[in-house]
């Protein structure tokens, strides 16, 4: 089981948000976003921020760092190490199962991620037979996008998706993310797509839009 940082917004949480960080960061990276995101009328939420394992990253000269998968190429169609993606998907599934064991059903669990974390979020989502409440991918893309249709399982498209990206992202070009969003939409996902005038980061307007999207999930439950 991955080590995690956790925050609860109230006693006896009814919902869980599992949030995956980006390359080289750790579970503390997005913890400060909680007070910025959470709104007073929302139900009690447990935010779970796992630490990715440390592994050598090829494009960084093999330097070990926290990563959800190795980056083996600059070509976005083949840059993600498929074995690493599969391992991380399984580790995230274990975190989802732990929340279910704590009494939170899958339809009240949101999986979110930034950059590499978002790539794993979308990969998990494609393969979920028991749908989650929603998927959030910020400044991210879908690995193995050409194989998405073959990886999709029955019932997965019941999960709504929130994707947001910066127009000036130098790490993952917005066109790459936009193509992923288009493919996911064509597969049948209900997807909200947002673009912002920013680089590889998050901004206040984006967090507000994500808050609106989350609020809709809580109201539909």
């Amino acid at each position: 089981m991955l080590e995690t940082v956790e925050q609860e917004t109230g006693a006896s949480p009814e919902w869980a948000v599992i949030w995956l960080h980006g390359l080289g960061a750790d579970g503390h990276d997005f913890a400060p976003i909680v007070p910025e995101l959470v709104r007073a009328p929302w139900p009690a939420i447990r935010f779970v921020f796992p630490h990715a394992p440390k592994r050598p990253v090829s494009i960084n000269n093999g330097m070990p760092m926290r990563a959800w998968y190795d980056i083996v190429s600059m070509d976005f169609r083949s840059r993600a190490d498929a074995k690493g993606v599969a391992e991380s998907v399984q580790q995230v599934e274990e975190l989802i199962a732990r929340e279910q064991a704590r009494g939170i059903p899958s339809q009240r669990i949101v999986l979110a991620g930034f950059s590499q974390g978002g790539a794993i979020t979308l990969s998990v989502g494609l393969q979920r037979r028991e749908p989650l409440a929603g998927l959030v991918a910020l400044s991210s893309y879908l690995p193995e996008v050409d194989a998405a249709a073959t990886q999709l399982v029955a019932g997965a498209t019941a999960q709504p998706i929130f994707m947001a990206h910066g127009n000036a992202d130098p790490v993952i070009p917005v066109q790459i993310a936009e193509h992923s969003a288009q493919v996911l939409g064509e597969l049948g996902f209900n997807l909200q797509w947002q673009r912002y005038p920013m680089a590889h980061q998050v901004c206040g307007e984006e967090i507000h839009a994500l808050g609106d999207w989350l609020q809709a999930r809580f109201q539909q439950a």
Side-chain angles (χ1 to χ4, degrees):
M1 183 74 68
L2 295 172
E3 293 184 7
T4 60
V5 176
E6 296 188 7
Q7 290 188 40
E8 296 183 357
T9 64
S12 304
E14 303 167 45
W15 286 73
V17 176
I18 301 172
W19 198 308
L20 313 180
H21 63 75
L23 177 67
D26 64 20
H28 295 284
D29 196 37
F30 276 91
I33 214 168
V34 172
E36 202 177 330
L37 177 65
V38 171
R39 301 178 184 179
W42 286 4
I45 306 166
R46 178 184 296 117
F47 283 86
V48 179
F49 301 98
H51 302 303
K54 288 186 177 178
R55 69 182 79 217
V57 176
S58 297
I59 64 160
N60 288 343
N61 298 316
M63 184 183 299
M65 61 183 62
R66 292 199 182 277
W68 297 107
Y69 51 85
D70 187 15
I71 300 175
V72 296
S73 164
M74 295 307 292
D75 182 347
F76 280 89
R77 293 179 184 273
S78 59
R79 73 186 267 134
D81 159 43
K83 183 172 179 285
V85 170
E87 288 172 356
S88 289
V89 165
Q90 183 54 44
Q91 288 174 315
V92 171
E93 285 290 355
E94 290 172 5
L95 292 175
I96 293 169
R98 185 175 70 172
E99 291 311 303
Q100 291 175 306
R102 287 164 146 179
I104 299 179
S106 60
Q107 62 266 29
R108 291 194 173 188
I109 299 173
V110 174
L111 182 60
F114 176 81
S115 195
Q116 264 205 349
I120 296 301
T121 292
L122 295 175
S123 298
V124 170
L126 276 180
Q127 301 168 50
R128 281 292 295 178
R129 298 186 185 278
E130 189 179 358
L132 301 175
L135 309 168
V136 178
L138 308 180
S139 300
S140 193
Y141 71 106
L142 180 63
E144 299 179 289
V145 68
D146 295 335
T150 61
Q151 294 174 356
L152 182 69
V153 301
T157 57
Q159 301 166 112
I161 301 177
F162 180 94
M163 285 186 74
H165 215 88
N167 286 332
D169 191 327
V171 178
I172 301 172
V174 67
Q175 295 83 0
I176 298 294
E178 206 157 32
H179 177 59
S180 293
Q182 180 183 347
V183 168
L184 290 164
E186 289 170 354
L187 289 175
F189 285 93
N190 175 11
L191 187 143
Q192 180 175 332
W193 167 254
Q194 307 275 154
R195 289 171 64 151
Y196 297 97
M198 62 179 185
H200 196 63
Q201 61 191 103
V202 296
C203 66
E205 188 181 354
E206 176 184 24
I207 297 307
H208 183 80
L210 175 57
D212 289 344
W213 183 87
L214 285 170
Q215 185 157 311
R217 309 283 76 76
F218 302 144
Q219 290 171 344
Q220 290 170 9

